[in-house]
Amino acid sequence: MTSTTRAWIHGRLFGACVSESAGDRPFDVVPLGQGRFQLIDGGRRRTAFAVVAGDAWVFLDGRVFVVPTSGQTTRRVSADDATALMAPMPATVVSIHVAPGQRVDRDALLITLEAMKMELPIKAPRAGRVTSLACHAGELVQPGVRLLEIDYGT
Amino acid sequence: MTSTTRAWIHGRLFGACVSESAGDRPFDVVPLGQGRFQLIDGGRRRTAFAVVAGDAWVFLDGRVFVVPTSGQTTRRVSADDATALMAPMPATVVSIHVAPGQRVDRDALLITLEAMKMELPIKAPRAGRVTSLACHAGELVQPGVRLLEIDYGT
Amino acid sequence: MFKRLLIANRGEIAVRVIRACREMGIESVAVYSDADRMSLHTTLADRAVRIGPSSAAESYLSISAIIDAARSSGAQAVHPGYGFLSENQDLASACVDAGLAFIGPPADVISTMGSKIVARRIAREAGAPVVPGETPVDQSDQAIAAAATAIGFPVLIKPSEGGGGIGMKEGHAAATLSAAIAQARREAIAAFGDGTLYVERLIAAPRHVEFQVLADHHGQVLHVFERECSIQRRHQKVIEETPSTVMTPQLRARMGAAAVAVARAAGYRNAGTVEFLLEGTGDSARYYFLEMNTRLQVEHPVTEQVAGLDLVRAQIRIASGEPLPWTQDALTQRGHAIEARVYAEDPISHLPQAGPLLLYREPSMPGVRIDSGVAEGSKITVHYDPLLAKLVAWGETREIARRRALAALRAFPILGIKTNIPMLVELLQHPRFVDGALDTRFLDVEGASLAARLSTGPTPDVLAVAAAARATTATPAAGGASRDIDHSSLDPWTSLRGVRV
Amino acid sequence: MFKRLLIANRGEIAVRVIRACREMGIESVAVYSDADRMSLHTTLADRAVRIGPSSAAESYLSISAIIDAARSSGAQAVHPGYGFLSENQDLASACVDAGLAFIGPPADVISTMGSKIVARRIAREAGAPVVPGETPVDQSDQAIAAAATAIGFPVLIKPSEGGGGIGMKEGHAAATLSAAIAQARREAIAAFGDGTLYVERLIAAPRHVEFQVLADHHGQVLHVFERECSIQRRHQKVIEETPSTVMTPQLRARMGAAAVAVARAAGYRNAGTVEFLLEGTGDSARYYFLEMNTRLQVEHPVTEQVAGLDLVRAQIRIASGEPLPWTQDALTQRGHAIEARVYAEDPISHLPQAGPLLLYREPSMPGVRIDSGVAEGSKITVHYDPLLAKLVAWGETREIARRRALAALRAFPILGIKTNIPMLVELLQHPRFVDGALDTRFLDVEGASLAARLSTGPTPDVLAVAAAARATTATPAAGGASRDIDHSSLDPWTSLRGVRV
């Protein structure tokens, strides 16, 4: 169900659509400077921290959330098909375990990366067929760039 | 003796006239963000903090300096004739001990202010004659505003 | 245990109590004046109630506003902190009348120990020495001189109803006493409308040594050792430490027992402090009961660091009816702790300062604790006392604690208003402080030489940093990130590009 | 004492050693790779020397670069920290050859205790129990099965030359052992080129309990009690504490004596740690020597907080030839300390994270110590391990320390990269952690349920804060001050001005 979250900010009331039920009283959010915010919910006060760097990063009660600019959906924590085939961070390609044309099962190990002294396995999010490779062993790869292509339809 | 203090800042060399002898090697000042600066003097490294709010405030080794925008002289800590007759901070006038026309000696108590639970005496910086009063008992006075005028020439 | 607790205070002590509540699972309720609408203590509490305009008289000193706030917020207990209403028996009574637990002693004990004369009598009867003195019934000059001679010179002559040092005159011999008596009487009448004089022995260069006591509602009273607070300016403490450098185990046992005896005799409950003047050194040093503070002290953290316990938690537990979890023998001292009070004041003139904390970064290092009521961006106003933070350094030895405090103060940048940190840095390096050769006149005697060390202007290295700040920072006032150089704002520095030197 | 000391490390441990030097009046020399040109440890030291490019192999792991830096900077001693070259006997030798004091044990002791087989033999000879096990001379399936039967099931079969958990197989009965043997042998050959197998008793759910030892150059060896480090993921510790919840005075005395005996037998000097596996509870619990770490541990602060001493200072004093200032009997434990390691890693997937610390604010509250190697604005790179900071909470009891750690983690905002703080917050509230019912498989068993609690999306309160951040802050990424609303940037929030709700 889509409903509206509302908040007083600097004496003005704002609303945003969120995909879960919100309370029927608006929050009061007071910027305190230096990324600190006072969040008042009924009588209860909490201190939150937030910065905007494209997405908004929010710290509240020991949890951290990355709220994307679109604001209406939240970034999924579990990787989707596209990001699953990218390096999560700058990393070195240690080894490539598949070749173009090869069929792979779900969770098959495709590529092994290394970053910060740790091995990072890149696995197939679903069964499919490798159509092309976009990296080679020893290469330093950046996040957000697809390492290989899989056709899930065949 | 006037000499030049020099510093590397962001790879460019700057100089300023200062009224004391400076070393013959320029400082290297590297901004670290958030008001932090690395000060390198020969091989020695120190961390300084600074903000600019009109004047530049600098913290180094536990000392704080307010460097005025003119840069070439430093703000005097001891009050001069003019600022001596001003409230140092927002304060309430408790009592006025002199009247216009009255002659006063050096260090004579002129006005008693109160701020932050403390009494602040305003004393005559030099001998002179009170020419006018610009405040009254009970008034909340602001810093930078003269509380009374003294003619030191008579 | 209480579910919800209201803190009738502001600043660092309100923050301290809020933190204790959070750890104990108690909901905290702050109160705030208009000036403190978004102050640190207001924003950190679970709830907050406005109690009036900025003036303390109409907010933090208003008993009715505090009681109303406690009632409306559903609090079960009130912690008064220190200062404000903390030693006001009417607040304690009003709490009881409203069915609220007051976290402190009963109202009648506050009243009893608030009277210096009654407190002195209780102390003397409990076996704690007091400074010899009396208010002669016959107030003639001759009778006062006779009393002085009986007490023994040097003496202090002061208004019987007085306080705050007003009208206090020293007398060093019977022959020269009449001028001092006349002057004291004149000032007593002017200030208090009563010329009655009190004569007591003058303790020439005493130390201020106080004992922390804790008393529960089950008959247990114990002390948590001493604090030395000799570094003070006009009765405002600046540096406190524990142990005292002159304390011996034997003297500590005697003074601690005296403090406990006074608390017992007064029917004391909760945390309190028995203050003494200490004269001399070693087992034979003489101590004199001065007064009892019926509240938590500003300097309580040094005791916490060395005794390894939490006095605010203990206060709350005592008030909720729990017995003290320690016996006297179970308490031990470990290492040394020094507290330096960071005030918003000019380090030379000592004038309090108001303004914004453009940059405020607390040092974070092993053995250093900061109790603070402000954050970067806070505005310091003229309405309340200028204490910003307390820096407490613990070390295995006094010398380690001292060096640690020094290192921490040198890494505690506060910009936008002046603070006493530069003075504290000099003070901690003063040879007499290093040696622990302290007395309550330390700052009177050494203050000028300390100030002199601070009167030098900025050195070239400071000017270089100032220039860099001007050259690189677009909004440094807010502690923002550095930006590319704005080449239009480089004045007064001249670009020397291309000039190798 | 040394005049100048070089720290052959980076990050929080380099900062820790720099601070100790500053308090001791020793000049500190940092070393830095290109990635660390303006990192916190580089900027805090009195001097700093570049030792190579960002790759650790060419900088922090280069013995020649470290020795050159020490020589060129005029340092008299080298502190290796932990990790990197701290357990490399060649660095220790090279220091001695260059006339530098190495702050750690002699090179031959590093070498001796670095060999698990030799260390095990020394421990056994010193009377410290080891996990029963052997490398059968006859490596046939039958002989290995016979060895397993002699040791007693369950057993662990693992490559004799192995490490890191590779090729380790459990065996629960002689009848089903041959498959495990075959598989372990196959993996051993694949991974190490040698199929020789080692059989030892499987300790099913042990605790990791280690003892801190200190040994000076005057024959004194003592222990500074235990640390429990059972909360680990793939041998990376996450939470450490002292005392251990299962320790009894009698067991502590036995294990401590065993740790001291091992250190003595090894000819140990300086600070080291003897690790044990602990099985069972109470006085009758069984402990087995695991290995000795010949360096300072990451988790040394919990010992410092509870024992009330400074291990880094002790290391430096020992290396300079001073005798230990304590005897075993003079050391005491007070209260409880818990360390939570804050890693730059995704709290669910545990993948290390790189990026800028857009906002980084350390909590400051009584009883909480933060040892950190970063500051707001620091950039976390892929080159080194992802430890950002260690949060150490001390309390009179374990429960107070736990609540304090929890309160501090909830007030430790780090934005810009993901950290494990959300996971630590859940972990500290897990019923088994609250009860102290720990073993080294804790995270294997409970990790999934902890992660599940973190997989929920942002709640409306979080979205409200996100909207406020977008609406109010011009340069919030740098933690700048709030500004007036930029009304053009309010999307996706819709102004509801005039709509009262």
Side-chain angles (χ1 to χ4, degrees):
Chain A
M1 194 192 77
T2 297
S3 69
T4 304
T5 292
R6 290 159 304 163
W8 290 99
I9 303 168
H10 267 326
R12 295 182 63 201
L13 187 62
F14 294 94
C17 288
V18 291
S19 48
E20 52 184 294
S21 162
D24 52 359
R25 190 164 40 183
F27 298 102
D28 199 348
V29 185
V30 184
L32 303 172
Q34 272 76 33
R36 273 199 309 143
F37 293 85
Q38 173 96 127
L39 174 68
I40 308 178
D41 178 8
R44 188 171 165 229
R45 287 168 178 251
R46 284 176 292 166
T47 298
F49 291 81
V51 296
V52 178
D55 297 337
W57 289 73
V58 178
F59 177 91
L60 182 65
D61 291 336
R63 295 280 306 270
V64 172
F65 298 92
V66 182
V67 182
T69 307
S70 81
Q72 286 160 6
T73 58
T74 60
R75 176 176 284 183
R76 295 253 158 253
V77 170
S78 60
D80 68 7
D81 293 358
T83 61
L85 302 179
M86 297 173 180
M89 58 193 311
T92 306
V93 177
V94 175
S95 49
I96 298 172
H97 307 278
V98 292
Q102 187 175 334
R103 296 200 62 88
V104 291
D105 292 334
R106 181 161 183 272
D107 285 336
L109 181 61
L110 305 173
I111 290 173
T112 302
L113 303 176
E114 185 184 312
M116 294 173 110
K117 301 181 7 185
M118 277 189 62
E119 294 212 341
L120 312 175
I122 301 293
K123 294 179 177 179
R126 292 193 282 139
R129 196 172 57 84
V130 177
T131 53
S132 66
L133 283 171
C135 63
H136 59 268
E139 182 178 352
L140 179 66
V141 293
Q142 297 299 325
V145 178
R146 205 77 79 87
L147 300 171
L148 76 175
E149 297 290 335
I150 295 185
D151 180 353
Y152 302 111
T154 57
Chain B
M1 194 191 78
T2 298
S3 69
T4 303
T5 292
R6 291 158 301 162
W8 288 99
I9 303 167
H10 267 325
R12 295 183 63 199
L13 187 63
F14 294 95
C17 288
V18 291
S19 49
E20 54 182 294
S21 161
D24 54 359
R25 192 163 38 185
F27 298 101
D28 199 348
V29 185
V30 184
L32 302 172
Q34 271 76 33
R36 273 199 310 144
F37 293 86
Q38 175 95 129
L39 175 68
I40 308 177
D41 177 8
R44 187 169 166 232
R45 286 168 179 251
R46 284 176 292 167
T47 298
F49 291 81
V51 296
V52 178
D55 298 335
W57 290 73
V58 178
F59 177 91
L60 183 64
D61 291 336
R63 294 280 305 270
V64 172
F65 299 91
V66 183
V67 182
T69 308
S70 81
Q72 285 159 7
T73 58
T74 60
R75 174 176 286 182
R76 295 254 159 253
V77 170
S78 60
D80 67 8
D81 292 357
T83 60
L85 302 178
M86 295 174 181
M89 57 193 312
T92 305
V93 177
V94 175
S95 50
I96 298 173
H97 309 278
V98 292
Q102 186 176 333
R103 297 199 61 87
V104 292
D105 293 333
R106 180 161 184 270
D107 285 336
L109 181 61
L110 307 173
I111 291 174
T112 302
L113 303 176
E114 186 184 313
M116 295 172 111
K117 301 183 5 188
M118 276 188 66
E119 295 211 341
L120 311 176
I122 301 292
K123 295 181 178 178
R126 291 192 282 138
R129 197 172 55 82
V130 177
T131 53
S132 66
L133 282 171
C135 63
H136 58 268
E139 182 178 351
L140 181 66
V141 292
Q142 298 299 325
V145 178
R146 204 77 78 89
L147 301 171
L148 78 173
E149 297 291 333
I150 295 184
D151 180 352
Y152 302 111
T154 57
Chain C
M1 185 45 66
F2 312 116
K3 294 239 181 307
R4 195 174 283 178
L5 184 153
L6 180 137
I7 300 117
N9 215 302
R10 64 177 302 283
E12 70 87 16
I13 193 60
V15 170
R16 170 78 183 86
V17 179
I18 290 165
R19 294 224 155 98
C21 288
R22 191 146 295 157
E23 289 172 9
M24 297 176 79
I26 299 170
E27 248 194 305
S28 56
V29 182
V31 295
Y32 63 93
S33 71
D34 288 342
D36 281 332
R37 205 178 63 87
M38 286 296 151
S39 290
L40 191 61
H41 80 280
T42 312
T43 60
L44 275 187
D46 295 320
R47 290 166 185 277
V49 182
R50 179 186 177 277
I51 49 165
S54 301
S55 150
E58 297 171 85
S59 51
Y60 300 107
L61 290 171
S62 165
I63 293 175
S64 62
I66 301 284
I67 297 292
D68 287 351
R71 278 212 178 102
S72 72
S73 62
Q76 298 166 299
V78 173
H79 195 300
Y82 54 70
F84 293 127
L85 295 169
S86 61
E87 295 185 283
N88 184 310
Q89 66 260 37
D90 296 336
L91 176 65
S93 300
C95 283
V96 173
D97 293 347
L100 300 160
F102 176 77
I103 299 178
D108 62 319
V109 176
I110 295 177
S111 167
T112 301
M113 300 313 273
S115 159
K116 286 205 179 188
I117 292 163
V118 179
R120 219 176 115 88
R121 181 176 51 71
I122 289 175
R124 206 170 37 221
E125 289 170 7
V130 297
V131 177
E134 60 171 300
T135 303
V137 179
D138 176 354
Q139 284 276 313
S140 68
D141 286 13
Q142 292 77 359
I144 290 173
T149 306
I151 287 163
F153 288 96
V155 295
L156 204 57
I157 298 174
K158 57 184 186 182
S160 187
E161 298 301 310
I166 294 169
M168 277 165 58
K169 301 293 160 198
E170 296 185 7
H172 292 272
T176 57
L177 208 59
S178 53
I181 293 172
Q183 208 179 341
R185 189 177 285 134
R186 200 160 51 236
E187 292 184 25
I189 292 169
F192 309 107
D194 181 344
T196 310
L197 297 179
Y198 181 86
V199 190
E200 71 176 12
R201 220 185 109 219
L202 172 67
I203 314 294
R207 290 170 183 253
H208 174 115
V209 173
E210 60 188 29
F211 274 71
Q212 176 70 53
V213 297
L214 287 173
D216 65 17
H217 293 276
H218 304 271
Q220 189 172 193
V221 184
L222 45 78
H223 74 85
V224 199
F225 316 112
E226 81 279 7
R227 291 183 289 260
E228 168 151 10
C229 318
S230 297
I231 309 285
Q232 24 181 280
R233 181 187 321 279
R234 294 195 211 103
H235 302 283
Q236 188 192 54
K237 295 166 186 169
V238 178
I239 303 254
E240 302 98 342
E241 62 184 303
T242 187
S244 163
T245 53
V246 285
M247 196 54 68
T248 64
Q250 206 257 329
L251 180 62
R252 179 178 294 119
R254 279 163 55 215
M255 292 181 75
V260 166
V262 170
R264 260 194 207 288
Y268 203 80
R269 297 287 179 275
N270 217 292
T273 294
V274 180
E275 294 188 342
F276 296 98
L277 291 181
L278 185 66
E279 192 180 27
T281 60
D283 288 348
S284 63
R286 288 170 303 281
Y287 57 91
Y288 304 100
F289 171 84
L290 199 60
E291 63 175 316
M292 181 163 191
N293 294 319
T294 57
R295 51 161 169 87
L296 191 69
Q297 301 279 93
V298 177
E299 59 270 23
H300 75 275
V302 294
T303 296
E304 295 184 326
Q305 297 310 104
V306 163
L309 47 80
D310 185 327
L311 290 171
V312 174
R313 176 190 293 264
Q315 284 193 296
I316 297 172
R317 292 178 67 171
I318 290 170
S320 80
E322 293 183 25
L324 282 168
W326 315 285
T327 58
Q328 186 69 61
D329 291 345
L331 297 180
T332 55
Q333 297 167 284
R334 175 191 273 177
H336 197 100
I338 298 175
E339 172 178 286
R341 298 194 190 184
V342 177
Y343 288 111
E345 68 174 31
D346 185 292
I348 297 176
S349 70
H350 309 297
L351 286 174
Q353 306 284 303
L357 297 181
L358 299 177
L359 187 147
Y360 175 89
R361 309 280 164 80
E362 293 173 4
S364 168
M365 50 184 75
V368 174
R369 160 181 170 181
I370 310 286
D371 282 31
S372 160
V374 297
E376 190 163 294
S378 291
K379 282 176 187 60
I380 309 308
T381 70
V382 300
H383 301 292
Y384 316 112
D385 92 52
L387 182 67
L388 297 178
K390 305 180 307 201
L391 186 153
V392 182
W394 179 91
E396 294 163 53
T397 64
R398 183 176 190 267
E399 179 59 10
I400 294 174
R402 188 188 69 85
R403 287 175 177 234
R404 208 165 254 182
L406 203 50
L409 286 166
R410 284 180 169 144
F412 196 170
I414 302 178
L415 300 178
I417 62 173
K418 290 182 183 170
T419 76
N420 66 333
I421 285 178
M423 195 276 292
L424 293 170
V425 167
E426 294 300 329
L427 210 165
L428 287 172
Q429 298 177 89
H430 192 287
R432 278 185 59 194
F433 186 83
V434 175
D435 291 346
L438 311 179
D439 63 58
T440 56
R441 298 196 175 181
F442 181 91
L443 281 184
D444 297 336
V445 173
E446 310 292 349
S449 73
L450 291 172
R453 300 174 64 89
L454 297 177
S455 60
T456 56
T459 38
D461 47 8
V462 170
L463 295 177
V465 174
R470 254 193 260 286
T472 55
T473 316
T475 55
S482 69
R483 305 286 173 72
D484 291 337
I485 297 183
D486 173 0
H487 293 285
S488 65
S489 67
L490 291 178
D491 178 71
W493 284 61
T494 314
S495 171
L496 302 178
R497 186 208 288 262
V499 182
R500 298 299 309 193
V501 253
Chain D
M1 187 45 66
F2 311 116
K3 294 237 180 311
R4 195 175 282 177
L5 185 154
L6 180 137
I7 300 118
N9 215 302
R10 64 177 302 283
E12 69 87 17
I13 193 60
V15 171
R16 170 78 184 85
V17 179
I18 289 166
R19 294 222 155 98
C21 287
R22 192 146 296 156
E23 289 171 10
M24 297 176 77
I26 300 170
E27 249 195 304
S28 56
V29 182
V31 296
Y32 63 93
S33 71
D34 287 341
D36 282 331
R37 204 177 65 86
M38 285 295 150
S39 290
L40 192 61
H41 80 280
T42 311
T43 60
L44 276 187
D46 295 319
R47 292 166 183 276
V49 181
R50 179 186 177 277
I51 50 165
S54 301
S55 150
E58 298 170 86
S59 51
Y60 300 106
L61 290 170
S62 166
I63 293 174
S64 61
I66 300 284
I67 298 292
D68 286 350
R71 279 212 177 101
S72 71
S73 63
Q76 298 166 300
V78 173
H79 194 300
Y82 54 70
F84 291 128
L85 295 169
S86 61
E87 294 185 283
N88 184 310
Q89 66 261 37
D90 295 337
L91 175 65
S93 300
C95 283
V96 173
D97 293 346
L100 300 160
F102 176 78
I103 300 179
D108 62 319
V109 176
I110 296 176
S111 166
T112 300
M113 300 313 274
S115 159
K116 287 205 178 187
I117 291 163
V118 178
R120 217 176 117 86
R121 181 177 49 70
I122 288 174
R124 204 168 40 220
E125 289 171 7
V130 297
V131 176
E134 61 171 303
T135 305
V137 180
D138 177 354
Q139 284 276 314
S140 69
D141 287 14
Q142 294 77 0
I144 291 171
T149 306
I151 287 163
F153 287 96
V155 295
L156 205 58
I157 298 173
K158 58 185 186 182
S160 186
E161 299 299 312
I166 295 167
M168 277 164 59
K169 302 293 159 195
E170 295 184 6
H172 292 270
T176 57
L177 206 61
S178 52
I181 294 171
Q183 206 178 345
R185 189 178 285 136
R186 202 161 49 239
E187 293 184 25
I189 291 168
F192 309 106
D194 181 344
T196 309
L197 296 179
Y198 181 86
V199 190
E200 70 176 15
R201 222 186 108 216
L202 171 67
I203 314 294
R207 290 170 183 252
H208 174 116
V209 174
E210 61 188 28
F211 274 71
Q212 176 70 52
V213 297
L214 288 172
D216 65 17
H217 293 276
H218 304 270
Q220 189 171 193
V221 184
L222 45 78
H223 74 85
V224 198
F225 316 112
E226 79 279 9
R227 291 182 288 259
E228 168 149 10
C229 318
S230 297
I231 309 285
Q232 26 181 277
R233 183 186 319 281
R234 295 196 211 101
H235 303 283
Q236 188 191 52
K237 295 166 186 168
V238 178
I239 303 253
E240 303 97 342
E241 63 185 303
T242 187
S244 163
T245 54
V246 287
M247 195 55 66
T248 64
Q250 205 257 329
L251 180 62
R252 179 177 295 121
R254 280 162 55 214
M255 292 181 74
V260 167
V262 170
R264 262 194 206 288
Y268 202 79
R269 297 289 180 275
N270 217 290
T273 294
V274 180
E275 294 188 341
F276 296 98
L277 290 181
L278 184 66
E279 192 181 27
T281 60
D283 288 349
S284 63
R286 287 170 304 282
Y287 57 90
Y288 305 100
F289 171 84
L290 200 59
E291 63 175 315
M292 180 163 192
N293 295 319
T294 56
R295 52 161 169 87
L296 191 68
Q297 301 280 92
V298 177
E299 60 271 23
H300 75 274
V302 293
T303 296
E304 295 184 325
Q305 297 310 103
V306 164
L309 47 80
D310 185 329
L311 290 169
V312 174
R313 176 191 293 264
Q315 284 194 296
I316 297 172
R317 293 177 67 171
I318 290 170
S320 80
E322 292 184 25
L324 282 167
W326 313 286
T327 59
Q328 186 69 60
D329 291 344
L331 297 180
T332 56
Q333 297 167 284
R334 175 191 273 177
H336 197 102
I338 298 176
E339 171 177 286
R341 298 194 190 184
V342 176
Y343 287 111
E345 68 175 30
D346 185 292
I348 297 175
S349 70
H350 309 296
L351 287 174
Q353 306 284 301
L357 297 181
L358 298 178
L359 187 147
Y360 175 89
R361 308 280 163 81
E362 293 174 3
S364 168
M365 51 184 76
V368 173
R369 160 181 170 180
I370 309 285
D371 282 31
S372 160
V374 297
E376 191 162 292
S378 292
K379 281 178 187 59
I380 308 308
T381 71
V382 299
H383 302 291
Y384 316 111
D385 92 53
L387 182 67
L388 296 179
K390 304 180 309 200
L391 186 153
V392 182
W394 179 90
E396 295 163 52
T397 65
R398 183 175 189 267
E399 179 60 9
I400 295 174
R402 187 188 70 84
R403 286 175 179 233
R404 207 164 255 183
L406 204 49
L409 285 166
R410 284 181 170 142
F412 195 169
I414 302 179
L415 300 178
I417 63 172
K418 290 183 184 169
T419 77
N420 66 333
I421 285 178
M423 195 277 291
L424 293 170
V425 167
E426 294 301 329
L427 210 165
L428 286 172
Q429 297 178 89
H430 192 287
R432 278 186 58 196
F433 186 83
V434 175
D435 292 345
L438 310 179
D439 63 57
T440 57
R441 296 194 177 181
F442 181 91
L443 282 183
D444 297 336
V445 174
E446 310 293 349
S449 72
L450 291 172
R453 300 173 64 89
L454 298 177
S455 59
T456 55
T459 39
D461 47 7
V462 170
L463 294 177
V465 173
R470 253 193 262 286
T472 56
T473 314
T475 55
S482 69
R483 305 287 172 73
D484 290 338
I485 297 183
D486 172 0
H487 293 286
S488 66
S489 67
L490 290 176
D491 178 72
W493 285 60
T494 314
S495 171
L496 301 179
R497 187 207 289 257
V499 182
R500 299 295 314 189
V501 257

